[in-house]
Amino acid sequence: MPTADGTTDDQQEHRLHALLPFLQTQSQTSLTRLYQRPSSCLSIFRLLGAVERQLVMNLLWLDLPIQTSTMSSWVTREGKALFDDALASLARLHFLSNNSAIKLGLSTTFKTSMRHAITGGGTSVSFGVPAEPDENRSAPSIDALDAYALERWETVLHYMVSSGTGQTPIKPSQGVLFLLQRSGLMAMNQGQLQITSSGFQFLLHTPHSQLWELLLQYLQMVEERQMDLVEVLSFLFMLSTMELGREYSIESLSDTQRAMLEDLRDYGLMWQRRASSRRFSPTRLATTLTSSLPPLPTATSTGGAKDQGFIVLETNYRLYAYTDNPLQTAVLNLFVTVKWRFPNLVVGAITRESVRKALLNGITADQIISYLTTYAHPQMRKNRPLLPVTVQDQIRLWELERNRIKTQEGFLYTAFASQADYEYVLNYARQLDVVLWENAAKRCFFGSVEGHTNIRGFIERRTGGSGG
Amino acid sequence: MDGSSHLSLIIDLSPSQWHLSAQSSNPHPLSFQTFLSHVLTFVNSHIASKHENTLAVFGALPGKSSMLYSSLDADSGNGNDPPADANSYRPFKVVNSVVTNNTQKELDLIGGLTEEPPVALVGALTKALCFINRLAHPPSGSLVDEAAASADPRILILSVSPDLAASYIPVMNSIFSAQKLKVTIDVCKVFGEETVFLQQAAHLTGGSYIYLERRDAFLQYLIMSFLPPPSLRHIIAVPRQDKVDFRAACFCHKNIVDIGFVCSVCLSIFCSPVAVCSTCRTKFPMKTLQRLNASRPAIPPANGVSNGSPRPPSARPSTGMSASLR
């Protein structure tokens, strides 16, 4: 997909993973505690950019720190800026030992754990203790886990999308509702939870970034709930290195982590037979946490088609969506005028009204376009460019339309006694660079608020001067 | 640049060469066991770098080649499923145990031979290319995710055996297919003398060829030079060879020649002027042959990159044989 995906790749390249800024604000002590666990090291390592990853690997097996200049000789001249950025970012994560200006070396804790992660061994038990196989009940199948994760996740999204429409979908658990409210995705309005404009934007994100957005909020709340952040993070990272379709025992978990089980069950990150069960299975949502291309549970529900894409968009603005999924239909409804609905097909059109409605909800044109790109039908993938240019341009134009009128406060200066008077004041205002509009024939001009005191003073001095 | 990447690793499993390599008379003896543990660490680092990275390992054995591991069908429990362990990341453990077991199995199979045929490097290379081609063209309707299809593929050859002159043509053909598939071929010469063909393979596909000098630092060599995927190499510079031996092997005796004679019709290379091209059956005029024979140096340069005296150009290049300067 050179055209469509090429651009998204570039964006990813410059975008830091959402978790990294959060980690960088943590204290060195807590990060060092976190790095004692090989699974955390491995997961954070995977969230890094490509250059950072390579640098970590270069340093991993060195016993002594090496000169920074030696390492930088491995970098091409064009890559120097990226290399420096990468070093700075690693230092902020406290991956590097302290004197990184002269000599480069990984911090001892991180190095030990990362080596253990790569080669195996150690006694950290950080990759999860597998549960003993149970003769009576077999472990849940991967399909069952996928279905469970999907059902949980879609409940949340569906609740969000239909909150304003008067429908009453299944309510997610209290914990999820609280999280949604805290993250500003939904807000209390007349006694009811209503989706906010950032909530609308959230709906159009990829499932992967949605998940991280919620988890970050969860992490922000951790301290209020008096949980140990390091425990929480290391549990999340442990989940991300677990194997799908395998049962793990809760024996080795700390109290904090056991308390998290319930929350994670609500989000669909893991499955337990009963709340009191001694074992749990991570779902695909959890095991793909550190991958950038999320092979999340299939977006279409019962259609059987495993493809992510289901949207066909034509140059005449008509849109065909092969889906029977109420959530997808509801999301489409945000910016599409739906004409007909069939058991497996939704037909609609992108119209000025529908797009304006979306824009009023706070969704941007780029978000609409990227949603359409992400979920384009495989048939559409043959097109170059992927989406019809006319439609893309028109959606952008509709967005610009809203920005046609720009308001600015100011003062109108009028009724000048003579042309010379007018020009004199106007020249002064021009020097201050506060003239927004002028009309010589009517002898009036409009100046911004900032310049008003100056201009008034100038006129007063002048009239006062001529008067006296 | 931050997409997933595919690595096909080709390990040269020539028992005799590994025996020589492990001898303590070498400046830095490297036994196969140590080598394998370093390679597995390297391979784990590749998988660690990105969740979506894919891997295939091929072994070039005497007289045959075989696939030791592929991340496509690794998940299916095929008997050698290691027991789960809370202290290690499962994918790493699976790779380690599958590669070790399969290598052991293959090496046991060849144990009984008295005379060791040369290693089937070309077979392994071709298998690796076919594998990459399969990744690049997933059958329609399959569930192979696009991540694997768009991966930026490369092949790393860890070679210990000397060049096999007879395999010049197949190696060249593999290089051309690799170029077409946009596959980078990296070569690490772990033991033995430089190989001409693999130098050319790395050079022509934009890969890097490294002759391992400090074999005690094998892992560090691997990680610093061969771990960055090709897309990253415009930022992290990896060493490339500055001198490439471009000599070719003749088609008639499979010798590596300093001065070859090239058929002007089909570009076949011969070590001496011939009357009829064995590939395309073109007949060459007697006069040309005589002139070319007369102009051959009496004693061809023994070795090294040839810089022989300039040959007089053929009078009639359209039907004659021309001497090539390599």
Side-chain angles (χ1 to χ4, degrees), chain A residues 46 53-54 57-58 61 74-76 82 117-118 121-128 130 241 243 246 287 291-293, chain B residues 2 41 44-45 47-52 84 86-90 92 143 147 220 223-224 227-228 234-237:
Chain A
R46 282 188 166 173
R53 287 200 307 265
Q54 183 61 38
M57 276 300 171
N58 283 354
W61 300 100
W74 278 73
V75 180
T76 58
L82 280 166
I118 297 271
T123 50
S124 58
V125 201
S126 69
F127 291 95
T241 55
E243 199 193 6
R246 191 170 275 269
T287 54
S291 94
S292 64
L293 300 158
Chain B
D2 215 356
T41 309
N44 286 348
S45 309
I47 311 175
S49 293
K50 206 125 182 84
H51 190 270
E52 303 84 5
N87 288 320
S88 58
Y89 185 45
R90 232 185 95 76
F92 295 164
L143 300 180
Q220 196 64 23
I223 284 185
M224 292 194 77
L227 190 62
H234 66 277
I235 297 170
I236 305 280

Side-chain angles (χ1 to χ4, degrees), chain A residues 222-444:
Chain A
V222 155
E223 274 169 31
E224 283 169 40
R225 297 173 58 183
Q226 288 169 353
M227 292 159 84
D228 185 358
L229 182 71
V230 175
E231 298 275 325
V232 174
L233 275 172
S234 55
F235 189 43
L236 285 180
F237 290 137
M238 185 205 277
L239 278 178
S240 75
T241 55
M242 285 179 171
E243 199 193 6
L244 189 63
R246 191 170 275 269
E247 284 190 306
Y248 291 88
S249 154
I250 66 167
E251 301 298 330
S252 66
L253 300 183
S254 68
D255 290 340
T256 311
Q257 293 172 339
R258 290 187 195 195
M260 285 173 71
L261 288 173
E262 187 193 337
D263 298 319
L264 296 179
R265 257 200 331 264
D266 285 341
Y267 307 153
L269 263 73
M270 66 163 68
W271 183 87
Q272 278 185 302
R273 199 175 301 279
R274 290 184 312 275
S276 58
S277 177
R278 308 290 296 163
R279 51 182 67 204
F280 65 91
S281 313
T283 68
R284 205 183 288 269
L285 280 173
T287 54
T288 55
L289 268 179
T290 52
S291 94
S292 64
L293 300 158
L296 266 165
T298 55
T300 46
S301 56
T302 53
K306 291 250 175 179
D307 284 311
Q308 288 266 312
F310 58 95
I311 295 175
V312 176
L313 180 65
E314 293 182 340
T315 47
N316 58 5
Y317 300 88
R318 190 162 280 196
L319 184 140
Y320 303 88
Y322 290 90
T323 177
D324 56 350
N325 182 320
L327 174 66
Q328 283 168 351
T329 318
V331 171
L332 279 178
N333 217 351
L334 293 177
F335 60 91
V336 174
T337 313
V338 174
K339 288 221 169 77
W340 304 300
R341 283 188 64 172
F342 300 102
N344 67 340
L345 174 70
V346 178
V347 181
I350 292 186
T351 61
R352 180 160 177 270
E353 285 68 38
S354 68
V355 171
R356 276 181 65 86
K357 189 181 77 189
L359 295 171
L360 285 174
N361 280 331
I363 298 171
T364 66
D366 283 333
Q367 282 169 339
I368 297 179
I369 291 170
S370 83
Y371 182 84
L372 290 172
T373 313
T374 316
Y375 293 103
H377 195 275
Q379 287 285 331
M380 293 270 290
R381 303 240 169 239
K382 292 175 191 150
N383 299 348
R384 294 276 176 278
L386 187 75
L387 298 178
V389 182
T390 47
V391 182
Q392 283 190 45
D393 285 352
Q394 189 59 66
I395 294 176
R396 290 218 168 85
L397 286 174
W398 280 327
E399 186 184 39
L400 287 179
E401 214 171 64
R402 294 191 66 227
N403 306 333
R404 203 155 45 178
I405 297 173
K406 197 166 85 179
T407 58
Q408 200 158 8
E409 260 182 87
F411 291 88
L412 182 68
Y413 303 92
T414 177
F416 287 95
S418 66
Q419 186 71 25
D421 236 10
Y422 165 72
E423 274 167 16
Y424 193 67
V425 178
L426 182 63
N427 267 335
Y428 174 74
R430 278 199 193 128
Q431 280 164 14
L432 295 179
D433 199 25
V434 292
V435 182
L436 298 172
W437 173 85
E438 58 179 87
N439 188 333
K442 291 185 179 159
R443 278 192 206 158
C444 59

Side-chain angles (χ1 to χ4, degrees), chain B residues 131-213:
Chain B
F131 187 82
I132 289 172
N133 190 47
R134 203 173 93 201
L135 284 183
H137 303 98
S140 52
S142 79
L143 300 180
V144 179
D145 47 352
E146 280 177 30
S150 63
D152 143 33
R154 67 187 196 272
I155 295 177
L156 170 60
I157 304 176
L158 302 175
S159 157
V160 288
S161 306
D163 260 334
L164 188 62
S167 62
Y168 174 68
I169 299 170
V171 167
M172 284 316 278
N173 286 341
S174 307
I175 294 174
F176 295 142
S177 342
Q179 281 179 324
K180 212 170 167 187
L181 276 170
K182 298 199 171 55
V183 174
T184 310
I185 299 181
D186 292 323
V187 180
C188 184
K189 188 74 191 160
V190 182
F191 174 76
E193 62 212 43
E194 306 261 2
T195 78
V196 179
F197 300 159
L198 293 183
Q199 274 188 6
Q200 295 183 18
H203 177 79
L204 292 174
T205 55
S208 94
Y209 173 97
I210 289 180
Y211 182 81
L212 195 60
E213 276 158 21

Side-chain angles (χ1 to χ4, degrees), chain B residues 68-302:
Chain B
L68 302 176
Y69 173 84
S70 119
S71 52
L72 280 193
D73 45 30
D75 302 333
S76 54
N78 41 5
N80 41 22
D81 210 17
D85 170 7
N87 288 320
S88 58
Y89 185 45
R90 232 185 95 76
F92 295 164
K93 223 173 142 81
V94 173
V95 173
N96 292 358
S97 81
V98 171
V99 172
T100 319
N101 290 348
N102 286 350
T103 311
Q104 197 54 51
K105 224 184 283 173
E106 294 293 341
L107 287 178
D108 287 347
L109 279 179
I110 54 167
L113 294 176
T114 45
E115 196 179 324
E116 188 179 306
V119 293
L121 184 69
V122 175
L125 189 56
T126 325
K127 276 186 179 154
L129 285 169
C130 290
F131 187 82
I132 289 172
N133 190 47
R134 203 173 93 201
L135 284 183
H137 303 98
S140 52
S142 79
L143 300 180
V144 179
D145 47 352
E146 280 177 30
S150 63
D152 143 33
R154 67 187 196 272
I155 295 177
L156 170 60
I157 304 176
L158 302 175
S159 157
V160 288
S161 306
D163 260 334
L164 188 62
S167 62
Y168 174 68
I169 299 170
V171 167
M172 284 316 278
N173 286 341
S174 307
I175 294 174
F176 295 142
S177 342
Q179 281 179 324
K180 212 170 167 187
L181 276 170
K182 298 199 171 55
V183 174
T184 310
I185 299 181
D186 292 323
V187 180
C188 184
K189 188 74 191 160
V190 182
F191 174 76
E193 62 212 43
E194 306 261 2
T195 78
V196 179
F197 300 159
L198 293 183
Q199 274 188 6
Q200 295 183 18
H203 177 79
L204 292 174
T205 55
S208 94
Y209 173 97
I210 289 180
Y211 182 81
L212 195 60
E213 276 158 21
R214 290 285 306 272
R215 297 196 296 148
D216 46 348
F218 179 50
L219 179 62
Q220 196 64 23
Y221 270 89
L222 282 179
I223 284 185
M224 292 194 77
S225 323
F226 299 115
L227 190 62
S231 55
L232 196 62
R233 294 188 186 174
H234 66 277
I235 297 170
I236 305 280
V238 298
R240 291 159 183 264
Q241 73 272 40
D242 45 358
K243 212 167 76 184
V244 184
D245 193 338
F246 277 118
R247 283 177 305 162
C250 69
F251 286 24
C252 42
H253 306 94
K254 318 288 184 202
N255 292 329
I256 297 180
V257 289
D258 289 333
I259 296 175
F261 296 85
V262 180
C263 167
S264 57
V265 177
C266 69
L267 302 182
S268 302
I269 304 162
F270 300 96
C271 52
S272 60
V274 287
V276 178
C277 170
S278 59
T279 312
C280 64
R281 305 274 162 225
T282 308
K283 292 192 179 66
F284 301 111
M286 222 36 218
K287 260 169 100 178
T288 321
L289 289 179
Q290 281 163 0
R291 205 187 56 246
L292 284 173
N293 266 326
S295 62
R296 286 176 77 184
I299 306 148

